[in-house]
Amino acid sequence: METYNRDRHLHGVEEYEEQIHSTTGRDFSIGLAIGLIVGTVGGLFLAPKSGDALRDDISGTTNKLTETFNAKQGEGSDDESLKEKAEQKTEELRSKIEEKKDDMVVKKSEHEEKQRIKDIDEKEIQAQKRAIQDDVADDGTEDPRKVDMSKYSEQPDEEK
């Protein structure tokens, strides 16, 4: 028989309350971080600087970031090299497309040939069936598919 354990019950309640407090703390921390980010961005746009000065600061920062990004990629800062890379990639894609197209043409022709052979085989089988039925058909039978096998049975050696 199971008895009520007061300590186990209280222990479960304490863990539940602790979980509620930790969740509330985590939610508060996430909300605080989001609020700081939104406040910083809003403060930049509501600063007492003129719009031109703020745009110059933002464009200068973005220009610096793009220059460092392009410098890390090597020759990525030249427009000509970007065009050459783009042309090279398009040529690679075109060659891959042509290869796939050729493969599909070959597969299609193989499939058509298999279908043609299958059709020929079926026609030959039907022709052979008709020929066999015509050869086997007796004048006295109504159905050419029925054959009187009595005339083909083995005859005793005495009759030979």
Side-chain angles (χ1 to χ4, degrees), residues 44-136:
L44 284 174
F45 288 113
L46 296 175
K49 282 186 177 180
S50 67
D52 292 333
L54 182 61
R55 281 191 291 273
D56 290 339
D57 289 345
I58 292 173
S59 65
T61 305
T62 55
N63 287 338
K64 287 180 186 177
L65 289 175
T66 55
E67 287 174 8
T68 56
F69 179 72
N70 289 336
K72 288 182 181 178
Q73 287 191 353
E75 296 179 296
S77 61
D78 295 334
D79 288 339
E80 293 299 320
S81 66
L82 288 175
K83 288 180 183 178
E84 290 172 2
K85 287 180 182 179
E87 289 173 0
Q88 185 180 18
K89 291 291 183 183
T90 54
E91 286 301 318
E92 289 176 9
L93 288 174
R94 283 184 184 145
S95 65
K96 287 181 182 179
I97 289 171
E98 286 297 320
E99 290 174 9
K100 295 293 182 184
K101 183 179 176 183
D102 294 340
D103 290 343
M104 292 303 293
V105 168
V106 168
K107 286 183 180 181
K108 182 181 178 187
S109 63
E110 288 175 358
H111 178 70
E112 288 173 350
E113 182 65 19
K114 287 179 183 177
Q115 188 65 36
R116 186 183 69 79
I117 291 171
K118 184 179 176 184
D119 291 342
I120 289 173
D121 288 345
E122 287 177 6
K123 288 177 185 176
E124 285 183 10
I125 290 172
Q126 292 298 326
Q128 288 176 358
K129 283 183 180 179
R130 280 192 303 267
I132 290 171
Q133 289 173 356
D134 290 343
D135 288 344
V136 173

Coordinates of all heavy atoms in Angstrom, one line a residue, residues 44-136:
L44 N 19.9 56.5 -32.6 CA 20.7 57.0 -33.7 C 19.8 57.9 -34.6 O 20.3 58.9 -35.1 CB 21.2 55.8 -34.5 CG 22.4 55.1 -33.8 CD1 22.8 53.9 -34.7 CD2 23.6 56.1 -33.8
F45 N 18.6 57.4 -34.9 CA 17.8 58.2 -35.8 C 17.1 59.4 -35.2 O 16.7 60.3 -35.9 CB 16.7 57.3 -36.4 CG 17.3 56.3 -37.4 CD1 17.3 55.0 -37.1 CD2 17.9 56.7 -38.6 CE1 17.9 54.0 -38.0 CE2 18.4 55.8 -39.5 CZ 18.4 54.5 -39.2
L46 N 17.1 59.5 -33.9 CA 16.5 60.6 -33.3 C 17.5 61.6 -32.7 O 17.2 62.5 -31.9 CB 15.5 60.2 -32.2 CG 14.3 59.4 -32.7 CD1 13.5 58.9 -31.5 CD2 13.4 60.2 -33.6
A47 N 18.8 61.3 -33.0 CA 19.9 62.1 -32.4 C 19.8 63.6 -33.0 O 19.2 63.8 -34.0 CB 21.2 61.5 -32.8
P48 N 20.4 64.5 -32.3 CA 20.3 65.9 -32.7 C 21.2 66.2 -33.9 O 21.2 67.4 -34.4 CB 20.8 66.7 -31.5 CG 21.6 65.8 -30.7 CD 21.0 64.4 -31.0
K49 N 21.8 65.2 -34.5 CA 22.6 65.5 -35.7 C 21.6 65.8 -36.9 O 20.5 65.3 -36.9 CB 23.4 64.2 -36.1 CG 24.7 64.0 -35.4 CD 25.4 62.9 -36.0 CE 26.7 62.6 -35.3 NZ 27.4 61.5 -35.9
S50 N 22.1 66.5 -37.9 CA 21.3 66.7 -39.0 C 21.2 65.4 -39.8 O 22.0 64.5 -39.7 CB 21.8 67.8 -39.9 OG 23.1 67.4 -40.5
G51 N 20.2 65.3 -40.7 CA 20.0 64.1 -41.5 C 21.2 63.8 -42.4 O 21.6 62.7 -42.6
D52 N 21.7 64.9 -43.0 CA 22.9 64.7 -43.8 C 24.1 64.1 -43.1 O 24.8 63.2 -43.6 CB 23.3 66.0 -44.5 CG 22.2 66.5 -45.5 OD1 21.5 65.7 -46.0 OD2 22.2 67.8 -45.7
A53 N 24.3 64.6 -41.9 CA 25.5 64.1 -41.1 C 25.3 62.6 -40.7 O 26.2 61.8 -40.8 CB 25.7 65.0 -39.9
L54 N 24.1 62.3 -40.3 CA 23.8 60.9 -40.0 C 23.9 60.0 -41.2 O 24.5 58.9 -41.1 CB 22.3 60.8 -39.4 CG 21.9 59.4 -38.9 CD1 22.8 59.0 -37.8 CD2 20.5 59.5 -38.4
R55 N 23.4 60.4 -42.3 CA 23.5 59.6 -43.5 C 25.0 59.4 -43.9 O 25.4 58.4 -44.4 CB 22.7 60.2 -44.7 CG 21.2 59.9 -44.6 CD 20.5 60.3 -45.8 NE 20.5 61.8 -46.1 CZ 19.5 62.6 -45.6 NH1 18.5 62.1 -44.9 NH2 19.6 63.9 -45.8
D56 N 25.8 60.5 -43.8 CA 27.2 60.4 -44.1 C 27.9 59.4 -43.2 O 28.7 58.6 -43.6 CB 27.9 61.8 -44.0 CG 27.4 62.7 -45.1 OD1 27.0 62.2 -46.2 OD2 27.6 64.0 -44.9
D57 N 27.5 59.5 -41.9 CA 28.1 58.5 -40.9 C 27.7 57.1 -41.3 O 28.6 56.2 -41.3 CB 27.7 58.8 -39.5 CG 28.3 60.1 -38.9 OD1 29.3 60.6 -39.5 OD2 27.8 60.6 -37.9
I58 N 26.5 56.9 -41.6 CA 26.0 55.5 -41.9 C 26.7 55.0 -43.2 O 27.1 53.9 -43.3 CB 24.5 55.4 -42.0 CG1 23.9 55.7 -40.6 CG2 24.0 54.1 -42.5 CD1 22.4 55.8 -40.5
S59 N 26.7 55.9 -44.2 CA 27.3 55.5 -45.5 C 28.8 55.2 -45.4 O 29.3 54.3 -46.0 CB 27.0 56.5 -46.6 OG 27.6 57.7 -46.3
G60 N 29.5 56.1 -44.6 CA 30.9 55.8 -44.3 C 31.2 54.5 -43.7 O 32.1 53.8 -44.0
T61 N 30.3 54.2 -42.7 CA 30.5 52.9 -42.0 C 30.2 51.7 -43.0 O 31.0 50.7 -43.0 CB 29.5 52.8 -40.8 OG1 29.7 53.9 -40.0 CG2 29.8 51.5 -40.0
T62 N 29.2 51.8 -43.8 CA 28.9 50.7 -44.7 C 30.0 50.6 -45.8 O 30.3 49.5 -46.2 CB 27.5 50.9 -45.4 OG1 27.5 52.2 -46.0 CG2 26.4 50.8 -44.4
N63 N 30.5 51.8 -46.2 CA 31.6 51.7 -47.2 C 32.9 51.0 -46.6 O 33.5 50.2 -47.3 CB 32.0 53.1 -47.7 CG 31.0 53.7 -48.6 OD1 30.2 53.0 -49.2 ND2 30.9 55.0 -48.7
K64 N 33.2 51.3 -45.3 CA 34.3 50.7 -44.7 C 34.1 49.2 -44.6 O 35.0 48.4 -44.8 CB 34.5 51.2 -43.3 CG 35.1 52.6 -43.3 CD 35.3 53.1 -41.9 CE 35.8 54.6 -41.8 NZ 35.9 55.1 -40.5
L65 N 32.9 48.8 -44.2 CA 32.6 47.3 -44.1 C 32.7 46.6 -45.5 O 33.2 45.5 -45.6 CB 31.2 47.1 -43.5 CG 31.0 47.5 -42.1 CD1 29.5 47.4 -41.6 CD2 31.9 46.6 -41.2
T66 N 32.1 47.3 -46.5 CA 32.2 46.6 -47.9 C 33.7 46.6 -48.3 O 34.1 45.6 -49.0 CB 31.4 47.4 -48.9 OG1 31.8 48.8 -48.9 CG2 29.9 47.3 -48.6
E67 N 34.5 47.6 -48.1 CA 35.9 47.5 -48.5 C 36.6 46.4 -47.7 O 37.4 45.7 -48.4 CB 36.6 48.9 -48.2 CG 36.2 50.0 -49.1 CD 36.7 51.3 -48.7 OE1 37.6 51.4 -47.8 OE2 36.3 52.3 -49.4
T68 N 36.4 46.3 -46.4 CA 37.1 45.2 -45.7 C 36.6 43.8 -46.2 O 37.4 42.9 -46.3 CB 36.8 45.3 -44.2 OG1 35.4 45.3 -43.9 CG2 37.5 46.5 -43.6
F69 N 35.3 43.7 -46.5 CA 34.8 42.5 -47.1 C 35.4 42.1 -48.4 O 35.8 41.0 -48.7 CB 33.2 42.6 -47.2 CG 32.6 41.3 -47.7 CD1 32.5 40.2 -47.0 CD2 32.1 41.3 -49.0 CE1 31.9 39.0 -47.5 CE2 31.5 40.2 -49.6 CZ 31.4 39.0 -48.8
N70 N 35.5 43.1 -49.3 CA 36.1 42.9 -50.6 C 37.6 42.6 -50.5 O 38.1 41.8 -51.3 CB 35.8 44.1 -51.5 CG 34.4 44.2 -52.0 OD1 33.7 43.2 -52.0 ND2 34.0 45.4 -52.3
A71 N 38.3 43.2 -49.5 CA 39.7 43.0 -49.4 C 39.9 41.6 -48.9 O 40.9 40.9 -49.3 CB 40.3 44.0 -48.4
K72 N 39.0 41.0 -48.1 CA 39.2 39.7 -47.6 C 39.0 38.7 -48.7 O 39.5 37.6 -48.7 CB 38.2 39.4 -46.5 CG 38.6 40.1 -45.2 CD 37.7 39.7 -44.1 CE 38.0 40.4 -42.8 NZ 37.1 40.1 -41.7
Q73 N 38.2 39.0 -49.7 CA 37.9 38.1 -50.8 C 39.0 38.2 -51.9 O 38.9 37.5 -52.9 CB 36.5 38.4 -51.4 CG 35.4 37.9 -50.5 CD 34.1 37.9 -51.3 OE1 34.0 38.4 -52.4 NE2 33.1 37.4 -50.6
G74 N 39.9 39.1 -51.8 CA 41.0 39.2 -52.8 C 40.7 40.3 -53.8 O 40.6 41.4 -53.5
E75 N 40.6 39.8 -55.0 CA 40.4 40.8 -56.1 C 38.9 41.1 -56.3 O 38.5 41.5 -57.4 CB 40.9 40.2 -57.4 CG 42.4 40.0 -57.4 CD 42.9 39.4 -58.7 OE1 42.5 38.3 -59.0 OE2 43.6 40.1 -59.4
G76 N 38.1 41.0 -55.3 CA 36.6 41.2 -55.4 C 36.2 42.6 -55.5 O 35.1 42.9 -55.8
S77 N 37.2 43.6 -55.3 CA 36.8 45.0 -55.3 C 36.6 45.5 -56.8 O 36.0 46.5 -57.0 CB 37.8 45.8 -54.6 OG 39.1 45.7 -55.2
D78 N 37.3 44.9 -57.8 CA 37.2 45.4 -59.1 C 35.8 45.0 -59.8 O 35.4 43.8 -59.6 CB 38.3 44.9 -60.0 CG 39.7 45.4 -59.5 OD1 39.7 46.5 -58.9 OD2 40.6 44.7 -59.8
D79 N 35.2 45.9 -60.5 CA 33.9 45.5 -61.2 C 34.2 44.6 -62.3 O 33.4 43.7 -62.6 CB 33.3 46.8 -61.7 CG 32.6 47.6 -60.6 OD1 32.4 47.1 -59.5 OD2 32.4 48.8 -60.8
E80 N 35.4 44.7 -62.9 CA 35.7 43.8 -64.1 C 35.9 42.4 -63.6 O 35.4 41.5 -64.2 CB 37.0 44.3 -64.7 CG 36.9 45.6 -65.4 CD 35.9 45.6 -66.6 OE1 35.9 44.6 -67.3 OE2 35.1 46.5 -66.7
S81 N 36.5 42.2 -62.4 CA 36.7 40.8 -62.0 C 35.4 40.2 -61.6 O 35.2 39.0 -61.8 CB 37.7 40.8 -60.8 OG 37.1 41.5 -59.6
L82 N 34.4 41.0 -61.1 CA 33.1 40.5 -60.7 C 32.4 40.1 -62.0 O 31.7 39.0 -62.1 CB 32.3 41.5 -60.0 CG 32.7 41.8 -58.5 CD1 31.9 42.9 -58.0 CD2 32.5 40.6 -57.7
K83 N 32.5 40.9 -63.1 CA 31.9 40.5 -64.3 C 32.5 39.3 -64.9 O 31.8 38.4 -65.4 CB 32.0 41.7 -65.3 CG 31.2 42.9 -65.0 CD 31.4 44.0 -66.1 CE 30.5 45.2 -65.7 NZ 30.7 46.3 -66.7
E84 N 33.8 39.2 -64.8 CA 34.5 38.0 -65.3 C 34.1 36.7 -64.6 O 33.8 35.7 -65.2 CB 36.0 38.1 -65.2 CG 36.6 39.1 -66.2 CD 38.1 39.4 -65.9 OE1 38.6 38.7 -65.0 OE2 38.6 40.3 -66.6
K85 N 33.9 36.8 -63.2 CA 33.5 35.7 -62.4 C 32.0 35.3 -62.8 O 31.7 34.2 -62.9 CB 33.6 36.0 -60.9 CG 35.0 36.1 -60.4 CD 35.0 36.4 -58.9 CE 36.4 36.4 -58.4 NZ 36.4 36.8 -56.9
A86 N 31.2 36.3 -63.0 CA 29.8 36.1 -63.4 C 29.7 35.4 -64.7 O 29.0 34.4 -64.9 CB 29.0 37.4 -63.4
E87 N 30.6 35.9 -65.7 CA 30.6 35.3 -67.0 C 31.1 33.8 -67.0 O 30.6 32.9 -67.6 CB 31.4 36.1 -68.0 CG 30.8 37.4 -68.4 CD 31.7 38.3 -69.2 OE1 32.9 37.9 -69.5 OE2 31.3 39.4 -69.5
Q88 N 32.1 33.6 -66.1 CA 32.6 32.3 -66.0 C 31.6 31.3 -65.4 O 31.4 30.2 -65.9 CB 33.9 32.3 -65.1 CG 34.6 31.0 -64.9 CD 35.8 31.1 -64.0 OE1 35.9 32.1 -63.2 NE2 36.7 30.2 -64.1
K89 N 30.9 31.8 -64.4 CA 29.8 30.9 -63.8 C 28.7 30.7 -64.8 O 28.2 29.5 -64.8 CB 29.3 31.6 -62.5 CG 30.2 31.7 -61.4 CD 30.5 30.3 -60.8 CE 31.4 30.4 -59.6 NZ 31.7 29.1 -59.1
T90 N 28.3 31.7 -65.6 CA 27.3 31.4 -66.5 C 27.7 30.4 -67.6 O 26.9 29.6 -68.0 CB 26.8 32.7 -67.2 OG1 27.9 33.4 -67.8 CG2 26.1 33.6 -66.2
E91 N 29.0 30.5 -68.0 CA 29.5 29.5 -69.0 C 29.5 28.1 -68.4 O 29.2 27.1 -69.1 CB 30.9 29.9 -69.4 CG 30.9 31.1 -70.4 CD 30.1 30.8 -71.6 OE1 30.2 29.7 -72.2 OE2 29.4 31.7 -72.0
E92 N 29.9 28.0 -67.1 CA 29.9 26.7 -66.5 C 28.4 26.1 -66.4 O 28.2 25.0 -66.7 CB 30.4 26.8 -65.0 CG 31.9 27.0 -65.0 CD 32.4 27.2 -63.5 OE1 31.6 27.0 -62.6 OE2 33.6 27.6 -63.4
L93 N 27.5 27.0 -66.1 CA 26.1 26.6 -66.0 C 25.6 26.2 -67.4 O 24.9 25.2 -67.6 CB 25.2 27.7 -65.4 CG 25.4 27.9 -63.9 CD1 24.5 29.1 -63.5 CD2 24.9 26.7 -63.2
R94 N 26.0 26.9 -68.4 CA 25.6 26.6 -69.8 C 26.1 25.2 -70.2 O 25.4 24.4 -70.8 CB 26.0 27.7 -70.8 CG 25.1 28.9 -70.7 CD 25.5 29.9 -71.8 NE 24.7 31.1 -71.7 CZ 25.2 32.3 -71.9 NH1 26.4 32.5 -72.3 NH2 24.4 33.3 -71.7
S95 N 27.4 25.0 -69.9 CA 28.0 23.7 -70.3 C 27.3 22.5 -69.5 O 27.0 21.5 -70.1 CB 29.5 23.7 -70.0 OG 29.7 23.8 -68.6
K96 N 27.0 22.8 -68.2 CA 26.3 21.7 -67.5 C 24.9 21.5 -68.1 O 24.4 20.3 -68.2 CB 26.2 22.1 -66.0 CG 27.5 22.0 -65.2 CD 27.3 22.4 -63.8 CE 28.6 22.3 -63.0 NZ 28.4 22.7 -61.6
I97 N 24.2 22.5 -68.5 CA 22.9 22.4 -69.0 C 23.0 21.6 -70.4 O 22.1 20.8 -70.6 CB 22.2 23.8 -69.2 CG1 21.8 24.4 -67.9 CG2 21.0 23.7 -70.2 CD1 21.4 25.8 -67.9
E98 N 24.0 21.9 -71.2 CA 24.1 21.2 -72.4 C 24.4 19.8 -72.2 O 23.9 18.9 -72.9 CB 25.3 21.9 -73.3 CG 24.9 23.2 -73.9 CD 23.8 23.1 -74.9 OE1 23.7 22.1 -75.6 OE2 22.9 24.0 -74.9
E99 N 25.2 19.4 -71.2 CA 25.5 18.0 -70.9 C 24.3 17.3 -70.5 O 24.0 16.2 -70.9 CB 26.6 17.9 -69.8 CG 28.0 18.3 -70.2 CD 28.9 18.4 -69.0 OE1 28.6 17.9 -67.9 OE2 30.1 18.8 -69.2
K100 N 23.5 17.9 -69.6 CA 22.2 17.3 -69.2 C 21.3 17.2 -70.3 O 20.6 16.2 -70.4 CB 21.6 18.2 -68.0 CG 22.4 18.2 -66.8 CD 22.4 16.9 -66.1 CE 23.2 17.0 -64.8 NZ 23.4 15.7 -64.2
K101 N 21.2 18.2 -71.2 CA 20.3 18.1 -72.4 C 20.7 16.9 -73.2 O 19.9 16.1 -73.7 CB 20.4 19.4 -73.1 CG 19.5 19.5 -74.3 CD 19.6 20.8 -75.0 CE 18.8 20.9 -76.3 NZ 19.0 22.2 -77.0
D102 N 22.0 16.7 -73.5 CA 22.5 15.6 -74.3 C 22.2 14.3 -73.6 O 21.8 13.3 -74.3 CB 24.0 15.7 -74.5 CG 24.4 16.9 -75.4 OD1 23.5 17.4 -76.1 OD2 25.6 17.4 -75.3
D103 N 22.4 14.2 -72.3 CA 22.0 13.0 -71.6 C 20.6 12.7 -71.7 O 20.2 11.5 -71.9 CB 22.4 13.1 -70.1 CG 23.9 13.1 -69.9 OD1 24.6 12.7 -70.8 OD2 24.3 13.5 -68.7
M104 N 19.7 13.7 -71.7 CA 18.3 13.5 -71.8 C 17.9 13.0 -73.2 O 17.0 12.1 -73.4 CB 17.5 14.7 -71.4 CG 17.6 15.1 -70.0 SD 17.0 13.8 -68.9 CE 15.3 13.8 -69.3
V105 N 18.6 13.5 -74.2 CA 18.3 13.1 -75.6 C 18.7 11.7 -75.8 O 17.9 10.9 -76.4 CB 19.1 14.0 -76.6 CG1 19.1 13.4 -78.0 CG2 18.5 15.4 -76.6
V106 N 19.8 11.3 -75.2 CA 20.3 9.9 -75.3 C 19.3 9.0 -74.6 O 18.9 7.9 -75.1 CB 21.7 9.7 -74.7 CG1 22.1 8.3 -74.6 CG2 22.7 10.4 -75.6
K107 N 18.9 9.3 -73.4 CA 17.9 8.5 -72.6 C 16.6 8.4 -73.4 O 16.0 7.3 -73.4 CB 17.7 9.1 -71.2 CG 18.9 8.8 -70.3 CD 18.7 9.3 -68.9 CE 19.9 9.1 -68.0 NZ 19.6 9.5 -66.7
K108 N 16.1 9.5 -74.0 CA 14.9 9.5 -74.7 C 15.0 8.5 -75.9 O 14.1 7.7 -76.1 CB 14.5 10.9 -75.2 CG 13.2 11.0 -75.9 CD 12.9 12.4 -76.3 CE 11.6 12.4 -77.1 NZ 11.4 13.7 -77.7
S109 N 16.1 8.6 -76.6 CA 16.2 7.7 -77.8 C 16.3 6.3 -77.3 O 15.7 5.4 -78.0 CB 17.4 8.1 -78.6 OG 18.6 8.0 -77.9
E110 N 17.0 6.0 -76.2 CA 17.0 4.6 -75.7 C 15.6 4.1 -75.3 O 15.3 3.0 -75.7 CB 18.0 4.5 -74.5 CG 19.4 4.7 -74.8 CD 20.3 4.7 -73.6 OE1 19.7 4.7 -72.4 OE2 21.5 4.8 -73.7
H111 N 14.9 5.0 -74.7 CA 13.5 4.6 -74.3 C 12.7 4.3 -75.5 O 11.9 3.4 -75.6 CB 12.9 5.7 -73.4 CG 11.5 5.4 -73.0 ND1 11.2 4.4 -72.2 CD2 10.3 6.0 -73.4 CE1 9.8 4.4 -72.0 NE2 9.3 5.3 -72.8
E112 N 12.8 5.2 -76.6 CA 12.0 5.0 -77.8 C 12.4 3.7 -78.5 O 11.5 3.0 -79.0 CB 12.2 6.2 -78.7 CG 11.5 7.5 -78.2 CD 11.8 8.7 -79.1 OE1 12.7 8.6 -79.9 OE2 11.2 9.7 -78.9
E113 N 13.7 3.4 -78.5 CA 14.1 2.1 -79.1 C 13.6 0.9 -78.4 O 13.2 0.0 -79.0 CB 15.7 2.1 -79.1 CG 16.3 0.9 -79.8 CD 15.9 0.8 -81.3 OE1 15.6 1.8 -81.9 OE2 16.1 -0.3 -81.8
K114 N 13.6 1.0 -77.0 CA 13.1 -0.1 -76.2 C 11.6 -0.3 -76.5 O 11.1 -1.4 -76.6 CB 13.3 0.1 -74.7 CG 14.7 -0.1 -74.3 CD 14.9 0.2 -72.8 CE 16.3 0.1 -72.4 NZ 16.5 0.5 -70.9
Q115 N 10.9 0.8 -76.6 CA 9.4 0.7 -76.9 C 9.2 0.2 -78.3 O 8.3 -0.7 -78.5 CB 8.8 2.1 -76.7 CG 7.3 2.1 -76.8 CD 6.7 1.4 -75.6 OE1 7.2 1.4 -74.5 NE2 5.6 0.7 -75.9
R116 N 10.0 0.6 -79.2 CA 9.9 0.1 -80.6 C 10.1 -1.4 -80.7 O 9.3 -2.2 -81.3 CB 10.8 0.8 -81.5 CG 10.7 0.4 -83.0 CD 11.7 1.1 -83.9 NE 13.0 0.6 -83.6 CZ 13.5 -0.6 -84.2 NH1 12.7 -1.3 -84.9 NH2 14.7 -0.9 -83.9
I117 N 11.1 -1.9 -80.0 CA 11.4 -3.3 -79.9 C 10.3 -4.1 -79.2 O 9.9 -5.2 -79.7 CB 12.8 -3.6 -79.2 CG1 13.9 -3.1 -80.1 CG2 13.0 -5.1 -78.9 CD1 15.3 -3.1 -79.5
K118 N 9.8 -3.5 -78.2 CA 8.7 -4.2 -77.5 C 7.5 -4.3 -78.4 O 6.8 -5.3 -78.4 CB 8.4 -3.4 -76.2 CG 7.3 -4.0 -75.3 CD 7.1 -3.1 -74.1 CE 5.9 -3.7 -73.3 NZ 5.6 -2.8 -72.1
D119 N 7.2 -3.2 -79.1 CA 6.0 -3.3 -80.0 C 6.2 -4.3 -81.1 O 5.3 -5.0 -81.5 CB 5.8 -1.9 -80.7 CG 5.3 -0.9 -79.6 OD1 4.8 -1.3 -78.6 OD2 5.4 0.3 -79.9
I120 N 7.5 -4.4 -81.7 CA 7.8 -5.4 -82.7 C 7.6 -6.8 -82.1 O 7.0 -7.6 -82.8 CB 9.2 -5.1 -83.2 CG1 9.3 -3.9 -84.1 CG2 9.6 -6.4 -84.1 CD1 10.6 -3.5 -84.5
D121 N 8.1 -7.0 -80.9 CA 8.0 -8.3 -80.3 C 6.5 -8.7 -80.1 O 6.2 -9.8 -80.4 CB 8.7 -8.3 -79.0 CG 10.3 -8.3 -79.1 OD1 10.7 -8.6 -80.2 OD2 10.9 -8.0 -78.1
E122 N 5.7 -7.8 -79.7 CA 4.3 -8.1 -79.4 C 3.6 -8.4 -80.8 O 2.8 -9.3 -80.9 CB 3.6 -6.9 -78.7 CG 4.0 -6.8 -77.3 CD 3.4 -5.6 -76.6 OE1 2.5 -4.9 -77.2 OE2 3.7 -5.3 -75.4
K123 N 4.0 -7.6 -81.8 CA 3.4 -7.9 -83.1 C 3.8 -9.2 -83.7 O 3.0 -10.0 -84.2 CB 3.8 -6.8 -84.1 CG 3.1 -5.4 -83.9 CD 3.6 -4.4 -84.8 CE 3.0 -3.0 -84.5 NZ 3.6 -2.0 -85.4
E124 N 5.1 -9.6 -83.5 CA 5.5 -10.9 -83.9 C 4.9 -12.0 -83.1 O 4.5 -13.1 -83.7 CB 7.1 -11.0 -83.8 CG 7.8 -10.2 -84.8 CD 9.3 -10.4 -84.6 OE1 9.8 -11.2 -83.9 OE2 10.1 -9.6 -85.3
I125 N 4.7 -11.8 -81.9 CA 4.0 -12.9 -81.0 C 2.6 -13.1 -81.5 O 2.1 -14.2 -81.7 CB 4.1 -12.5 -79.5 CG1 5.5 -12.6 -79.0 CG2 3.1 -13.3 -78.7 CD1 5.7 -12.1 -77.6
Q126 N 1.9 -12.0 -81.8 CA 0.5 -12.1 -82.3 C 0.5 -12.8 -83.6 O -0.4 -13.6 -83.9 CB -0.1 -10.7 -82.3 CG -0.4 -10.0 -81.0 CD -1.3 -10.8 -80.1 OE1 -2.2 -11.5 -80.6 NE2 -1.1 -10.8 -78.8
A127 N 1.4 -12.4 -84.5 CA 1.5 -13.0 -85.8 C 1.8 -14.5 -85.7 O 1.2 -15.4 -86.4 CB 2.5 -12.4 -86.7
Q128 N 2.7 -14.9 -84.8 CA 3.0 -16.3 -84.6 C 1.8 -17.1 -84.0 O 1.5 -18.2 -84.4 CB 4.2 -16.5 -83.6 CG 5.5 -16.1 -84.3 CD 6.7 -16.2 -83.3 OE1 6.5 -16.5 -82.1 NE2 7.9 -15.9 -83.8
K129 N 1.1 -16.4 -83.1 CA -0.1 -17.1 -82.6 C -1.2 -17.3 -83.7 O -1.8 -18.4 -83.8 CB -0.8 -16.2 -81.5 CG -0.1 -16.3 -80.2 CD -0.8 -15.4 -79.1 CE -0.1 -15.4 -77.8 NZ -0.8 -14.6 -76.8
R130 N -1.4 -16.3 -84.5 CA -2.3 -16.5 -85.6 C -1.9 -17.6 -86.6 O -2.7 -18.4 -87.1 CB -2.5 -15.2 -86.4 CG -3.4 -14.2 -85.7 CD -3.8 -13.1 -86.6 NE -2.6 -12.3 -87.1 CZ -2.1 -11.3 -86.5 NH1 -2.7 -10.8 -85.4 NH2 -1.1 -10.7 -86.9
A131 N -0.5 -17.6 -86.9 CA 0.0 -18.6 -87.8 C -0.2 -20.0 -87.2 O -0.6 -21.0 -87.9 CB 1.4 -18.4 -88.1
I132 N 0.1 -20.2 -85.9 CA -0.1 -21.5 -85.2 C -1.6 -21.9 -85.3 O -1.9 -23.0 -85.6 CB 0.5 -21.4 -83.8 CG1 2.0 -21.3 -83.8 CG2 0.0 -22.7 -83.0 CD1 2.6 -21.1 -82.5
Q133 N -2.4 -20.9 -85.0 CA -3.9 -21.2 -85.0 C -4.3 -21.6 -86.4 O -5.1 -22.5 -86.6 CB -4.7 -20.0 -84.5 CG -4.5 -19.8 -83.0 CD -5.1 -18.5 -82.5 OE1 -5.7 -17.7 -83.3 NE2 -5.1 -18.3 -81.2
D134 N -3.8 -20.9 -87.4 CA -4.2 -21.3 -88.8 C -3.6 -22.7 -89.2 O -4.3 -23.4 -89.8 CB -3.6 -20.2 -89.8 CG -4.3 -18.9 -89.6 OD1 -5.4 -18.9 -89.0 OD2 -3.8 -17.9 -90.1
D135 N -2.4 -23.0 -88.8 CA -1.8 -24.3 -89.1 C -2.6 -25.4 -88.4 O -2.7 -26.5 -88.9 CB -0.3 -24.4 -88.7 CG 0.5 -23.5 -89.6 OD1 0.0 -23.2 -90.7 OD2 1.7 -23.2 -89.2
V136 N -3.0 -25.2 -87.2 CA -3.6 -26.2 -86.4 C -5.1 -26.4 -86.7 O -5.7 -27.4 -86.5 CB -3.4 -25.9 -84.8 CG1 -4.2 -26.9 -84.0 CG2 -1.9 -25.9 -84.5

